[in-house]
Amino acid sequence: MPITTHWFLPTHGDGRSVVDRPHTTPTGADTPRRPDIDYLAQVAQAVEHLGFTGMLTPTGSWCQDAWITTAALLARTKRIKFLVAFRPGSLSPTLAAQLAATYQKVSEGRLLLNIVTGGESTEQQRYGDWLDHDERYARTDEFLAVLRGIFAGEPFDFDGEHYSVRGATSFEAPEPAPPLYFGGSSDAALPVAARRADVHLTWGEPPAAVGRKVQRLRELAAEEGRELRFGLRAHVITRDTGADAWSTAQRFLEQMDPADVAASQAKIAKTEAVGQRKIAELHGGVLPSSARDLEVHPGLWAGVGLLRGGAGTALVGSHAEVADLIEEYHAVGIQEFVLSGYPHLEEAYWFGEGVHPELARRGLRAATGPAAARDLTPAPH
């Protein structure tokens, strides 16, 4: 089965290293590239030209709103899809269905939806959401039941602990219904993915660990009479030679302030997110002198997670070496890759011009560039 690649839209700002991140450290508060619409359009147009399928747009108090930003970019792009992240606790499922239907109408079918339950109570409380971790996933389960019911195109009734709706409907059903991407590694999250998601997204742990999660989710989905696709969220540093790629990783490491690392790790240590804890275990919060000391699997670097929450690993190496690692993930069931790099504009070119052709030579995707613009995203189940 072919690999689908997506990129990331930096709606919090961008820069030339991991420290240029406004949502991680004080150092990154004045990120060199502000997320104005012209810069974001540059990134989106480059990603479209390079043959990626979609762009993940994040959600949170540290970035711009994903719905509004990507809607503005529709007129600046022609084909690229937008994987819009949003939190169920922030809006009703009926309103979400209406937004999706409108977006599909305006964009002619360029919407993908990323359901973010929310792993941190402190962040959720900024939005007035006071449910605990497991309750949030129970609410997401009901939210997605209602959302899919409305997507079916008929008035929908539902009675649950968190939502009760009568005759819920949108002005028209979204055409097509956008695939639902969903992440979560906890015992509360996995059954929701099995019942409701089309694509389960996981962080970039080593392939063996990812494979175990894929297998468990396949079993849970089979119990529901369903099948899932699986995606990996990670960063990438790819160059013409492995030495150049690791030199970039070394530069990123040397730019990290130990005080910023300590502050970031103290925050991450309080996380409620199971997947986030697993990423933190890969680097142990230690800032070494050599980037290679954080290579937790051949070509997989845990250094990003020293400063950044969320995706904390990077695929590092020559274009062929990065393709090798992608093949390893593909072998354990990963079909979609949601990638990013620093800066997002330049790294998209490194990957699109270097790794895409390598994957095409191996028969894992269509030829790179505009010729690869065909949509490989599956229809939702």
mmCIF file of all heavy atoms in Angstrom, residues 1-6 181 199-215 217-218 228-234 315 325-339 359 364:
data_model
loop_
_atom_site.group_PDB
_atom_site.id
_atom_site.type_symbol
_atom_site.label_atom_id
_atom_site.label_comp_id
_atom_site.label_asym_id
_atom_site.label_seq_id
_atom_site.Cartn_x
_atom_site.Cartn_y
_atom_site.Cartn_z
ATOM 1 N N MET A 1 0.846 -1.190 0.000
ATOM 2 C CA MET A 1 0.000 0.000 0.000
ATOM 3 C C MET A 1 0.882 1.241 0.000
ATOM 4 O O MET A 1 1.855 1.315 0.739
ATOM 5 C CB MET A 1 -0.914 -0.013 1.224
ATOM 6 C CG MET A 1 -1.923 1.125 1.253
ATOM 7 S SD MET A 1 -3.129 0.941 2.595
ATOM 8 C CE MET A 1 -4.036 -0.489 1.981
ATOM 9 N N PRO A 2 0.575 2.259 -0.836
ATOM 10 C CA PRO A 2 1.449 3.439 -0.938
ATOM 11 C C PRO A 2 1.460 4.257 0.343
ATOM 12 O O PRO A 2 0.511 4.262 1.127
ATOM 13 C CB PRO A 2 0.832 4.229 -2.097
ATOM 14 C CG PRO A 2 -0.590 3.793 -2.142
ATOM 15 C CD PRO A 2 -0.579 2.344 -1.757
ATOM 16 N N ILE A 3 2.557 4.963 0.526
ATOM 17 C CA ILE A 3 2.732 5.863 1.661
ATOM 18 C C ILE A 3 2.159 7.235 1.315
ATOM 19 O O ILE A 3 2.334 7.732 0.200
ATOM 20 C CB ILE A 3 4.224 5.971 2.010
ATOM 21 C CG1 ILE A 3 4.691 4.701 2.737
ATOM 22 C CG2 ILE A 3 4.521 7.196 2.849
ATOM 23 C CD1 ILE A 3 6.178 4.634 2.932
ATOM 24 N N THR A 4 1.473 7.835 2.277
ATOM 25 C CA THR A 4 0.977 9.195 2.150
ATOM 26 C C THR A 4 1.819 10.098 3.043
ATOM 27 O O THR A 4 2.042 9.767 4.208
ATOM 28 C CB THR A 4 -0.498 9.278 2.579
ATOM 29 O OG1 THR A 4 -1.283 8.410 1.765
ATOM 30 C CG2 THR A 4 -1.025 10.697 2.447
ATOM 31 N N THR A 5 2.276 11.215 2.519
ATOM 32 C CA THR A 5 3.064 12.151 3.316
ATOM 33 C C THR A 5 2.321 13.473 3.482
ATOM 34 O O THR A 5 1.689 13.975 2.549
ATOM 35 C CB THR A 5 4.446 12.420 2.691
ATOM 36 O OG1 THR A 5 4.274 12.895 1.342
ATOM 37 C CG2 THR A 5 5.294 11.161 2.683
ATOM 38 N N HIS A 6 2.376 14.003 4.694
ATOM 39 C CA HIS A 6 1.816 15.310 5.023
ATOM 40 C C HIS A 6 2.926 16.165 5.641
ATOM 41 O O HIS A 6 3.915 15.646 6.151
ATOM 42 C CB HIS A 6 0.672 15.180 6.034
ATOM 43 C CG HIS A 6 -0.393 14.201 5.656
ATOM 44 N ND1 HIS A 6 -1.432 14.515 4.806
ATOM 45 C CD2 HIS A 6 -0.591 12.909 6.033
ATOM 46 C CE1 HIS A 6 -2.228 13.462 4.674
ATOM 47 N NE2 HIS A 6 -1.730 12.470 5.403
ATOM 48 N N TYR A 181 -8.764 11.911 11.897
ATOM 49 C CA TYR A 181 -7.459 11.545 12.446
ATOM 50 C C TYR A 181 -7.526 11.738 13.961
ATOM 51 O O TYR A 181 -8.081 12.728 14.447
ATOM 52 C CB TYR A 181 -6.361 12.412 11.858
ATOM 53 C CG TYR A 181 -6.062 12.145 10.404
ATOM 54 C CD1 TYR A 181 -6.995 12.450 9.410
ATOM 55 C CD2 TYR A 181 -4.837 11.617 10.003
ATOM 56 C CE1 TYR A 181 -6.724 12.207 8.067
ATOM 57 C CE2 TYR A 181 -4.547 11.383 8.670
ATOM 58 C CZ TYR A 181 -5.497 11.671 7.697
ATOM 59 O OH TYR A 181 -5.222 11.426 6.381
ATOM 60 N N VAL A 199 -7.927 7.265 10.926
ATOM 61 C CA VAL A 199 -6.467 7.177 10.988
ATOM 62 C C VAL A 199 -6.038 7.448 12.427
ATOM 63 O O VAL A 199 -6.411 8.476 13.003
ATOM 64 C CB VAL A 199 -5.779 8.190 10.055
ATOM 65 C CG1 VAL A 199 -4.264 8.037 10.121
ATOM 66 C CG2 VAL A 199 -6.270 8.029 8.617
ATOM 67 N N HIS A 200 -5.282 6.524 13.007
ATOM 68 C CA HIS A 200 -4.720 6.761 14.327
ATOM 69 C C HIS A 200 -3.304 7.291 14.169
ATOM 70 O O HIS A 200 -2.473 6.690 13.479
ATOM 71 C CB HIS A 200 -4.688 5.486 15.176
ATOM 72 C CG HIS A 200 -4.144 5.713 16.554
ATOM 73 N ND1 HIS A 200 -2.792 5.643 16.833
ATOM 74 C CD2 HIS A 200 -4.756 6.058 17.715
ATOM 75 C CE1 HIS A 200 -2.607 5.918 18.117
ATOM 76 N NE2 HIS A 200 -3.770 6.167 18.677
ATOM 77 N N LEU A 201 -3.023 8.435 14.814
ATOM 78 C CA LEU A 201 -1.702 9.047 14.765
ATOM 79 C C LEU A 201 -0.941 8.747 16.043
ATOM 80 O O LEU A 201 -1.496 8.835 17.145
ATOM 81 C CB LEU A 201 -1.819 10.566 14.596
ATOM 82 C CG LEU A 201 -2.346 11.082 13.262
ATOM 83 C CD1 LEU A 201 -2.495 12.596 13.308
ATOM 84 C CD2 LEU A 201 -1.420 10.681 12.123
ATOM 85 N N THR A 202 0.331 8.412 15.897
ATOM 86 C CA THR A 202 1.172 8.127 17.056
ATOM 87 C C THR A 202 2.469 8.903 16.943
ATOM 88 O O THR A 202 2.899 9.280 15.847
ATOM 89 C CB THR A 202 1.447 6.615 17.176
ATOM 90 O OG1 THR A 202 2.100 6.333 18.408
ATOM 91 C CG2 THR A 202 2.332 6.115 16.022
ATOM 92 N N TRP A 203 3.113 9.161 18.091
ATOM 93 C CA TRP A 203 4.407 9.825 18.092
ATOM 94 C C TRP A 203 5.485 8.877 17.563
ATOM 95 O O TRP A 203 5.290 7.669 17.504
ATOM 96 C CB TRP A 203 4.795 10.269 19.503
ATOM 97 C CG TRP A 203 3.825 11.180 20.206
ATOM 98 C CD1 TRP A 203 3.282 10.980 21.432
ATOM 99 C CD2 TRP A 203 3.308 12.432 19.752
ATOM 100 N NE1 TRP A 203 2.453 12.034 21.769
ATOM 101 C CE2 TRP A 203 2.458 12.937 20.757
ATOM 102 C CE3 TRP A 203 3.483 13.187 18.584
ATOM 103 C CZ2 TRP A 203 1.781 14.150 20.647
ATOM 104 C CZ3 TRP A 203 2.803 14.399 18.471
ATOM 105 C CH2 TRP A 203 1.974 14.862 19.486
ATOM 106 N N GLY A 204 6.659 9.439 17.260
ATOM 107 C CA GLY A 204 7.742 8.683 16.646
ATOM 108 C C GLY A 204 8.589 7.902 17.627
ATOM 109 O O GLY A 204 9.794 8.148 17.753
ATOM 110 N N GLU A 205 7.997 6.932 18.286
ATOM 111 C CA GLU A 205 8.783 5.986 19.069
ATOM 112 C C GLU A 205 9.531 5.056 18.110
ATOM 113 O O GLU A 205 9.237 5.027 16.904
ATOM 114 C CB GLU A 205 7.867 5.169 19.978
ATOM 115 C CG GLU A 205 7.132 5.957 21.044
ATOM 116 C CD GLU A 205 6.216 5.063 21.856
ATOM 117 O OE1 GLU A 205 6.745 4.288 22.678
ATOM 118 O OE2 GLU A 205 4.985 5.119 21.655
ATOM 119 N N PRO A 206 10.490 4.260 18.596
ATOM 120 C CA PRO A 206 11.156 3.298 17.719
ATOM 121 C C PRO A 206 10.149 2.362 17.057
ATOM 122 O O PRO A 206 9.066 2.095 17.607
ATOM 123 C CB PRO A 206 12.080 2.545 18.677
ATOM 124 C CG PRO A 206 12.385 3.551 19.747
ATOM 125 C CD PRO A 206 11.108 4.316 19.937
ATOM 126 N N PRO A 207 10.467 1.860 15.871
ATOM 127 C CA PRO A 207 9.502 1.062 15.102
ATOM 128 C C PRO A 207 8.902 -0.112 15.866
ATOM 129 O O PRO A 207 7.706 -0.398 15.712
ATOM 130 C CB PRO A 207 10.322 0.588 13.897
ATOM 131 C CG PRO A 207 11.326 1.674 13.704
ATOM 132 C CD PRO A 207 11.690 2.138 15.083
ATOM 133 N N ALA A 208 9.669 -0.814 16.678
ATOM 134 C CA ALA A 208 9.123 -1.971 17.388
ATOM 135 C C ALA A 208 7.997 -1.548 18.329
ATOM 136 O O ALA A 208 6.960 -2.220 18.416
ATOM 137 C CB ALA A 208 10.229 -2.689 18.169
ATOM 138 N N ALA A 209 8.190 -0.427 19.045
ATOM 139 C CA ALA A 209 7.155 0.058 19.948
ATOM 140 C C ALA A 209 5.922 0.510 19.183
ATOM 141 O O ALA A 209 4.779 0.249 19.596
ATOM 142 C CB ALA A 209 7.702 1.203 20.806
ATOM 143 N N VAL A 210 6.142 1.174 18.060
ATOM 144 C CA VAL A 210 5.016 1.588 17.221
ATOM 145 C C VAL A 210 4.262 0.365 16.707
ATOM 146 O O VAL A 210 3.032 0.333 16.684
ATOM 147 C CB VAL A 210 5.514 2.464 16.056
ATOM 148 C CG1 VAL A 210 4.402 2.697 15.040
ATOM 149 C CG2 VAL A 210 6.036 3.795 16.593
ATOM 150 N N GLY A 211 5.003 -0.659 16.308
ATOM 151 C CA GLY A 211 4.369 -1.876 15.807
ATOM 152 C C GLY A 211 3.481 -2.540 16.845
ATOM 153 O O GLY A 211 2.399 -3.058 16.514
ATOM 154 N N ARG A 212 3.912 -2.527 18.100
ATOM 155 C CA ARG A 212 3.088 -3.125 19.158
ATOM 156 C C ARG A 212 1.778 -2.344 19.335
ATOM 157 O O ARG A 212 0.721 -2.939 19.534
ATOM 158 C CB ARG A 212 3.874 -3.155 20.471
ATOM 159 C CG ARG A 212 5.006 -4.183 20.482
ATOM 160 C CD ARG A 212 5.582 -4.374 21.870
ATOM 161 N NE ARG A 212 6.301 -3.199 22.343
ATOM 162 C CZ ARG A 212 7.588 -2.972 22.142
ATOM 163 N NH1 ARG A 212 8.310 -3.831 21.429
ATOM 164 N NH2 ARG A 212 8.176 -1.891 22.629
ATOM 165 N N LYS A 213 1.861 -1.028 19.248
ATOM 166 C CA LYS A 213 0.644 -0.220 19.373
ATOM 167 C C LYS A 213 -0.294 -0.459 18.185
ATOM 168 O O LYS A 213 -1.512 -0.570 18.345
ATOM 169 C CB LYS A 213 1.005 1.263 19.460
ATOM 170 C CG LYS A 213 -0.192 2.167 19.732
ATOM 171 C CD LYS A 213 0.186 3.631 19.711
ATOM 172 C CE LYS A 213 1.182 3.984 20.783
ATOM 173 N NZ LYS A 213 1.474 5.431 20.806
ATOM 174 N N VAL A 214 0.276 -0.526 16.986
ATOM 175 C CA VAL A 214 -0.529 -0.802 15.792
ATOM 176 C C VAL A 214 -1.257 -2.129 15.935
ATOM 177 O O VAL A 214 -2.455 -2.238 15.635
ATOM 178 C CB VAL A 214 0.359 -0.787 14.530
ATOM 179 C CG1 VAL A 214 -0.381 -1.396 13.338
ATOM 180 C CG2 VAL A 214 0.806 0.635 14.205
ATOM 181 N N GLN A 215 -0.563 -3.152 16.401
ATOM 182 C CA GLN A 215 -1.183 -4.463 16.537
ATOM 183 C C GLN A 215 -2.328 -4.432 17.544
ATOM 184 O O GLN A 215 -3.402 -5.004 17.304
ATOM 185 C CB GLN A 215 -0.139 -5.492 16.970
ATOM 186 C CG GLN A 215 -0.677 -6.917 17.081
ATOM 187 C CD GLN A 215 -1.293 -7.417 15.791
ATOM 188 O OE1 GLN A 215 -0.815 -7.108 14.690
ATOM 189 N NE2 GLN A 215 -2.369 -8.185 15.889
ATOM 190 N N LEU A 217 -4.176 -1.871 18.371
ATOM 191 C CA LEU A 217 -5.289 -1.124 17.808
ATOM 192 C C LEU A 217 -6.008 -1.917 16.718
ATOM 193 O O LEU A 217 -7.233 -1.833 16.582
ATOM 194 C CB LEU A 217 -4.801 0.213 17.254
ATOM 195 C CG LEU A 217 -4.686 1.317 18.305
ATOM 196 C CD1 LEU A 217 -3.789 2.440 17.814
ATOM 197 C CD2 LEU A 217 -6.071 1.856 18.655
ATOM 198 N N ARG A 218 -5.266 -2.681 15.944
ATOM 199 C CA ARG A 218 -5.911 -3.539 14.943
ATOM 200 C C ARG A 218 -6.852 -4.531 15.617
ATOM 201 O O ARG A 218 -7.963 -4.789 15.132
ATOM 202 C CB ARG A 218 -4.848 -4.275 14.130
ATOM 203 C CG ARG A 218 -4.215 -3.437 13.036
ATOM 204 C CD ARG A 218 -3.120 -4.187 12.334
ATOM 205 N NE ARG A 218 -2.644 -3.460 11.153
ATOM 206 C CZ ARG A 218 -1.490 -3.687 10.556
ATOM 207 N NH1 ARG A 218 -0.673 -4.652 11.025
ATOM 208 N NH2 ARG A 218 -1.135 -2.982 9.497
ATOM 209 N N LEU A 228 -8.489 0.282 10.700
ATOM 210 C CA LEU A 228 -7.870 1.592 10.826
ATOM 211 C C LEU A 228 -6.680 1.714 9.890
ATOM 212 O O LEU A 228 -6.045 0.724 9.538
ATOM 213 C CB LEU A 228 -7.367 1.823 12.256
ATOM 214 C CG LEU A 228 -8.377 2.010 13.383
ATOM 215 C CD1 LEU A 228 -7.637 2.119 14.711
ATOM 216 C CD2 LEU A 228 -9.232 3.234 13.148
ATOM 217 N N ARG A 229 -6.380 2.957 9.518
ATOM 218 C CA ARG A 229 -5.079 3.283 8.973
ATOM 219 C C ARG A 229 -4.253 3.876 10.101
ATOM 220 O O ARG A 229 -4.788 4.311 11.124
ATOM 221 C CB ARG A 229 -5.195 4.285 7.817
ATOM 222 C CG ARG A 229 -5.695 3.660 6.519
ATOM 223 C CD ARG A 229 -5.913 4.726 5.445
ATOM 224 N NE ARG A 229 -4.687 5.413 5.070
ATOM 225 C CZ ARG A 229 -3.830 5.006 4.131
ATOM 226 N NH1 ARG A 229 -4.061 3.878 3.493
ATOM 227 N NH2 ARG A 229 -2.757 5.716 3.831
ATOM 228 N N PHE A 230 -2.945 3.912 9.897
ATOM 229 C CA PHE A 230 -2.057 4.376 10.959
ATOM 230 C C PHE A 230 -1.071 5.403 10.425
ATOM 231 O O PHE A 230 -0.542 5.251 9.319
ATOM 232 C CB PHE A 230 -1.317 3.192 11.579
ATOM 233 C CG PHE A 230 -2.243 2.196 12.216
ATOM 234 C CD1 PHE A 230 -2.681 1.091 11.501
ATOM 235 C CD2 PHE A 230 -2.703 2.388 13.509
ATOM 236 C CE1 PHE A 230 -3.561 0.184 12.068
ATOM 237 C CE2 PHE A 230 -3.583 1.486 14.084
ATOM 238 C CZ PHE A 230 -4.012 0.381 13.367
ATOM 239 N N GLY A 231 -0.855 6.449 11.223
ATOM 240 C CA GLY A 231 0.057 7.508 10.835
ATOM 241 C C GLY A 231 1.072 7.795 11.921
ATOM 242 O O GLY A 231 0.832 7.536 13.109
ATOM 243 N N LEU A 232 2.202 8.353 11.535
ATOM 244 C CA LEU A 232 3.292 8.704 12.447
ATOM 245 C C LEU A 232 3.521 10.196 12.377
ATOM 246 O O LEU A 232 3.621 10.772 11.290
ATOM 247 C CB LEU A 232 4.578 7.974 12.046
ATOM 248 C CG LEU A 232 5.741 8.126 13.025
ATOM 249 C CD1 LEU A 232 5.627 7.078 14.122
ATOM 250 C CD2 LEU A 232 7.079 7.997 12.309
ATOM 251 N N ARG A 233 3.621 10.833 13.549
ATOM 252 C CA ARG A 233 3.917 12.266 13.647
ATOM 253 C C ARG A 233 5.345 12.434 14.151
ATOM 254 O O ARG A 233 5.684 12.024 15.264
ATOM 255 C CB ARG A 233 2.915 12.922 14.596
ATOM 256 C CG ARG A 233 3.228 14.374 14.933
ATOM 257 C CD ARG A 233 2.893 15.323 13.788
ATOM 258 N NE ARG A 233 3.312 16.684 14.157
ATOM 259 C CZ ARG A 233 4.452 17.237 13.751
ATOM 260 N NH1 ARG A 233 5.303 16.564 12.977
ATOM 261 N NH2 ARG A 233 4.749 18.475 14.102
ATOM 262 N N ALA A 234 6.204 13.020 13.320
ATOM 263 C CA ALA A 234 7.618 13.174 13.686
ATOM 264 C C ALA A 234 8.224 14.343 12.926
ATOM 265 O O ALA A 234 7.635 14.871 11.977
ATOM 266 C CB ALA A 234 8.390 11.896 13.375
ATOM 267 N N LEU A 315 13.509 11.996 12.278
ATOM 268 C CA LEU A 315 14.156 11.059 11.370
ATOM 269 C C LEU A 315 15.363 11.792 10.790
ATOM 270 O O LEU A 315 15.204 12.827 10.137
ATOM 271 C CB LEU A 315 13.203 10.642 10.257
ATOM 272 C CG LEU A 315 12.079 9.653 10.573
ATOM 273 C CD1 LEU A 315 11.165 10.139 11.695
ATOM 274 C CD2 LEU A 315 11.246 9.379 9.317
ATOM 275 N N LEU A 325 14.305 4.295 7.168
ATOM 276 C CA LEU A 325 13.551 4.332 8.427
ATOM 277 C C LEU A 325 12.051 4.393 8.156
ATOM 278 O O LEU A 325 11.254 3.750 8.851
ATOM 279 C CB LEU A 325 14.006 5.527 9.263
ATOM 280 C CG LEU A 325 13.435 5.651 10.676
ATOM 281 C CD1 LEU A 325 13.566 4.342 11.457
ATOM 282 C CD2 LEU A 325 14.112 6.795 11.421
ATOM 283 N N ILE A 326 11.651 5.150 7.142
ATOM 284 C CA ILE A 326 10.238 5.188 6.763
ATOM 285 C C ILE A 326 9.765 3.794 6.358
ATOM 286 O O ILE A 326 8.662 3.358 6.728
ATOM 287 C CB ILE A 326 10.022 6.209 5.627
ATOM 288 C CG1 ILE A 326 10.128 7.636 6.190
ATOM 289 C CG2 ILE A 326 8.672 6.001 4.946
ATOM 290 C CD1 ILE A 326 10.069 8.717 5.142
ATOM 291 N N GLU A 327 10.619 3.058 5.639
ATOM 292 C CA GLU A 327 10.263 1.680 5.276
ATOM 293 C C GLU A 327 10.103 0.796 6.508
ATOM 294 O O GLU A 327 9.230 -0.082 6.544
ATOM 295 C CB GLU A 327 11.317 1.094 4.340
ATOM 296 C CG GLU A 327 11.157 1.466 2.890
ATOM 297 C CD GLU A 327 11.794 0.457 1.959
ATOM 298 O OE1 GLU A 327 11.124 -0.534 1.593
ATOM 299 O OE2 GLU A 327 12.979 0.658 1.610
ATOM 300 N N GLU A 328 10.940 1.015 7.524
ATOM 301 C CA GLU A 328 10.796 0.249 8.761
ATOM 302 C C GLU A 328 9.437 0.500 9.404
ATOM 303 O O GLU A 328 8.766 -0.434 9.871
ATOM 304 C CB GLU A 328 11.907 0.617 9.744
ATOM 305 C CG GLU A 328 13.254 -0.014 9.476
ATOM 306 C CD GLU A 328 14.185 0.150 10.667
ATOM 307 O OE1 GLU A 328 13.906 -0.467 11.721
ATOM 308 O OE2 GLU A 328 15.164 0.901 10.545
ATOM 309 N N TYR A 329 9.049 1.757 9.461
ATOM 310 C CA TYR A 329 7.739 2.083 10.028
ATOM 311 C C TYR A 329 6.608 1.522 9.162
ATOM 312 O O TYR A 329 5.599 1.023 9.674
ATOM 313 C CB TYR A 329 7.584 3.592 10.176
ATOM 314 C CG TYR A 329 8.307 4.172 11.366
ATOM 315 C CD1 TYR A 329 9.352 5.089 11.202
ATOM 316 C CD2 TYR A 329 7.946 3.825 12.666
ATOM 317 C CE1 TYR A 329 10.009 5.638 12.298
ATOM 318 C CE2 TYR A 329 8.597 4.365 13.768
ATOM 319 C CZ TYR A 329 9.622 5.264 13.573
ATOM 320 O OH TYR A 329 10.275 5.800 14.661
ATOM 321 N N HIS A 330 6.776 1.611 7.868
ATOM 322 C CA HIS A 330 5.768 1.074 6.959
ATOM 323 C C HIS A 330 5.594 -0.426 7.169
ATOM 324 O O HIS A 330 4.475 -0.960 7.123
ATOM 325 C CB HIS A 330 6.167 1.377 5.511
ATOM 326 C CG HIS A 330 5.115 1.052 4.503
ATOM 327 N ND1 HIS A 330 5.250 0.032 3.579
ATOM 328 C CD2 HIS A 330 3.905 1.606 4.267
ATOM 329 C CE1 HIS A 330 4.180 -0.019 2.821
ATOM 330 N NE2 HIS A 330 3.341 0.915 3.211
ATOM 331 N N ALA A 331 6.689 -1.125 7.445
ATOM 332 C CA ALA A 331 6.642 -2.573 7.633
ATOM 333 C C ALA A 331 5.840 -2.967 8.870
ATOM 334 O O ALA A 331 5.297 -4.075 8.941
ATOM 335 C CB ALA A 331 8.061 -3.140 7.735
ATOM 336 N N VAL A 332 5.755 -2.069 9.869
ATOM 337 C CA VAL A 332 4.969 -2.390 11.069
ATOM 338 C C VAL A 332 3.573 -1.787 11.012
ATOM 339 O O VAL A 332 2.829 -1.843 11.992
ATOM 340 C CB VAL A 332 5.691 -1.944 12.361
ATOM 341 C CG1 VAL A 332 7.038 -2.644 12.489
ATOM 342 C CG2 VAL A 332 5.850 -0.423 12.432
ATOM 343 N N GLY A 333 3.201 -1.206 9.857
ATOM 344 C CA GLY A 333 1.818 -0.803 9.661
ATOM 345 C C GLY A 333 1.561 0.675 9.452
ATOM 346 O O GLY A 333 0.406 1.080 9.263
ATOM 347 N N ILE A 334 2.599 1.513 9.459
ATOM 348 C CA ILE A 334 2.385 2.953 9.280
ATOM 349 C C ILE A 334 2.240 3.262 7.789
ATOM 350 O O ILE A 334 3.097 2.920 6.983
ATOM 351 C CB ILE A 334 3.548 3.764 9.878
ATOM 352 C CG1 ILE A 334 3.643 3.524 11.383
ATOM 353 C CG2 ILE A 334 3.370 5.245 9.577
ATOM 354 C CD1 ILE A 334 2.436 3.974 12.170
ATOM 355 N N GLN A 335 1.140 3.936 7.467
ATOM 356 C CA GLN A 335 0.861 4.272 6.066
ATOM 357 C C GLN A 335 0.921 5.771 5.782
ATOM 358 O O GLN A 335 1.063 6.186 4.638
ATOM 359 C CB GLN A 335 -0.527 3.734 5.693
ATOM 360 C CG GLN A 335 -0.641 2.214 5.807
ATOM 361 C CD GLN A 335 -2.030 1.782 6.257
ATOM 362 O OE1 GLN A 335 -2.512 2.173 7.316
ATOM 363 N NE2 GLN A 335 -2.680 0.972 5.445
ATOM 364 N N GLU A 336 0.778 6.582 6.827
ATOM 365 C CA GLU A 336 0.794 8.036 6.646
ATOM 366 C C GLU A 336 1.856 8.644 7.566
ATOM 367 O O GLU A 336 2.021 8.211 8.711
ATOM 368 C CB GLU A 336 -0.581 8.636 6.940
ATOM 369 C CG GLU A 336 -1.685 7.988 6.099
ATOM 370 C CD GLU A 336 -2.936 8.836 5.989
ATOM 371 O OE1 GLU A 336 -2.846 10.067 6.203
ATOM 372 O OE2 GLU A 336 -3.994 8.275 5.673
ATOM 373 N N PHE A 337 2.544 9.643 7.057
ATOM 374 C CA PHE A 337 3.611 10.312 7.813
ATOM 375 C C PHE A 337 3.311 11.805 7.843
ATOM 376 O O PHE A 337 3.192 12.441 6.798
ATOM 377 C CB PHE A 337 4.969 10.038 7.178
ATOM 378 C CG PHE A 337 5.400 8.599 7.294
ATOM 379 C CD1 PHE A 337 4.928 7.641 6.411
ATOM 380 C CD2 PHE A 337 6.248 8.199 8.311
ATOM 381 C CE1 PHE A 337 5.301 6.300 6.529
ATOM 382 C CE2 PHE A 337 6.636 6.870 8.441
ATOM 383 C CZ PHE A 337 6.154 5.919 7.554
ATOM 384 N N VAL A 338 3.168 12.342 9.054
ATOM 385 C CA VAL A 338 2.930 13.772 9.253
ATOM 386 C C VAL A 338 4.231 14.357 9.781
ATOM 387 O O VAL A 338 4.606 14.146 10.931
ATOM 388 C CB VAL A 338 1.775 14.019 10.232
ATOM 389 C CG1 VAL A 338 1.503 15.519 10.359
ATOM 390 C CG2 VAL A 338 0.512 13.288 9.768
ATOM 391 N N LEU A 339 4.928 15.100 8.946
ATOM 392 C CA LEU A 339 6.314 15.483 9.206
ATOM 393 C C LEU A 339 6.467 16.993 9.332
ATOM 394 O O LEU A 339 5.607 17.767 8.892
ATOM 395 C CB LEU A 339 7.213 14.957 8.091
ATOM 396 C CG LEU A 339 7.144 13.436 7.854
ATOM 397 C CD1 LEU A 339 7.867 13.063 6.572
ATOM 398 C CD2 LEU A 339 7.720 12.685 9.049
ATOM 399 N N LEU A 359 11.542 7.385 -2.207
ATOM 400 C CA LEU A 359 10.384 6.525 -1.928
ATOM 401 C C LEU A 359 9.723 6.076 -3.229
ATOM 402 O O LEU A 359 9.250 4.942 -3.336
ATOM 403 C CB LEU A 359 9.380 7.266 -1.048
ATOM 404 C CG LEU A 359 9.838 7.595 0.378
ATOM 405 C CD1 LEU A 359 8.802 8.472 1.077
ATOM 406 C CD2 LEU A 359 10.087 6.324 1.181
ATOM 407 N N LEU A 364 7.047 3.046 -3.244
ATOM 408 C CA LEU A 364 6.229 3.336 -2.070
ATOM 409 C C LEU A 364 5.344 4.562 -2.233
ATOM 410 O O LEU A 364 4.509 4.829 -1.378
ATOM 411 C CB LEU A 364 7.124 3.510 -0.843
ATOM 412 C CG LEU A 364 7.848 2.240 -0.388
ATOM 413 C CD1 LEU A 364 8.809 2.552 0.752
ATOM 414 C CD2 LEU A 364 6.838 1.188 0.062
#
